[in-house]
């Protein structure tokens, strides 16, 4: 593969990160604009996942695996992103489910609390980073990003008492 295609592995991480940063700057009163920006970003992510799957699909010769070394640092010291058929297929599935979930959330969830769309994009960034990373340390980092965003989405739109009761019940009601 050409080196340019390996650099495309950064886009599924950068696109949600930059979209989430943009969505923080927009006021919550403009929730339709935030939804449109979020949906366009998710559709771009879906198209990018399809393209990466097309690039990595083929016979298992080793030529269709994309490897990106950030700043050309070796694997133990730098960030390594690896795109193979399985990781890009899971990224396509995540982008497809993200588009469906975003359309479903438009009716109610996006209006209940603040920063829904930003948390949604950060969750996508964590998922894509965890799927594309090539080492355990960065896998842990992307899991932390994913978990922080998922905790924010879990508590999104609720007051303290129902969320506290749900957390208390999940801890105390175990068998």
């Amino acid at each position: 593969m050409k080196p340019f295609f390996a650099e495309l592995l950064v886009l599924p991480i950068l696109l949600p990160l930059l979209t989430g940063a943009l969505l923080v700057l927009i006021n919550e009163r403009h929730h339709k604009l935030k939804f449109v920006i979020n949906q366009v970003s998710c559709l771009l992510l879906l198209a990018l996942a399809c393209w990466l799957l097309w690039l990595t699909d083929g016979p298992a010769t080793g030529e269709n695996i994309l490897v990106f070394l950030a700043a050309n640092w070796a694997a133990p010291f730098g960030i390594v992103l690896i795109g193979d058929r399985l990781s890009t297929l899971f990224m396509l599935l995540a982008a497809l489910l993200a588009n469906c979930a975003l359309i479903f959330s438009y009716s109610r969830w996006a209006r209940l609390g603040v920063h829904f769309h930003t948390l949604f994009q950060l969750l996508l960034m964590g998922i894509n980073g965890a799927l594309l990373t090539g080492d355990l340390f960065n896998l842990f980092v992307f899991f932390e990003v994913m978990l922080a965003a998922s905790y924010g989405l879990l508590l999104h739109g609720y007051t303290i008492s129902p969320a506290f009761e749900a957390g208390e019940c999940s801890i105390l009601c175990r068998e």
Side-chain angles (χ1 to χ4, degrees):
M1 287 277 159
K2 296 179 182 176
F4 170 73
F5 291 131
E7 292 176 358
L8 289 175
L9 290 175
V10 179
L11 288 180
I13 298 169
L14 284 181
L15 180 66
L17 177 66
L18 295 176
T19 305
L22 174 69
L23 290 172
V24 167
L25 301 175
I26 299 174
N27 194 348
E28 288 296 323
R29 289 178 290 164
H30 306 291
H31 55 84
K32 289 183 182 179
L33 175 66
K34 290 180 97 167
F35 173 77
V36 168
I37 292 172
N38 197 356
Q39 187 66 46
V40 166
S41 175
C42 285
L43 288 173
L44 285 174
L45 190 64
L46 183 65
L48 182 64
C50 287
W51 191 24
L52 286 173
L53 182 63
W54 179 75
L55 285 174
T56 59
D57 195 23
T61 60
E63 294 178 6
N64 52 357
I65 296 175
L66 302 173
V67 178
F68 177 73
L69 301 173
N72 268 345
W73 284 67
F77 304 110
I79 297 173
V80 178
L81 299 177
I82 298 174
D84 58 352
R85 192 179 320 160
L86 183 65
S87 64
T88 55
L89 181 67
F90 280 149
M91 197 173 65
L92 176 67
L93 180 65
L96 185 66
L97 289 174
N99 277 294
C100 295
L102 187 62
I103 291 170
F104 177 76
S105 71
Y106 180 69
S107 63
R108 179 172 178 233
W109 290 104
R111 297 178 186 171
L112 283 181
V114 295
H115 303 302
F116 171 80
H117 296 289
T118 301
L119 290 170
F120 191 81
Q121 287 294 319
L122 290 178
L123 180 68
L124 284 177
M125 184 192 86
I127 290 171
N128 290 336
L131 289 172
L132 293 175
T133 191
D135 58 351
L136 286 176
F137 176 75
N138 290 313
L139 179 68
F140 175 73
V141 169
F142 284 121
F143 266 33
E144 289 295 321
V145 170
M146 184 173 50
L147 287 174
S150 66
Y151 292 153
L153 285 172
L154 179 69
L155 297 175
H156 184 265
Y158 287 109
T159 59
I160 295 298
S161 61
F164 180 73
E165 289 173 6
E168 183 182 38
C169 181
S170 69
I171 292 172
L172 296 177
C173 298
R174 294 186 180 198
E175 294 183 81

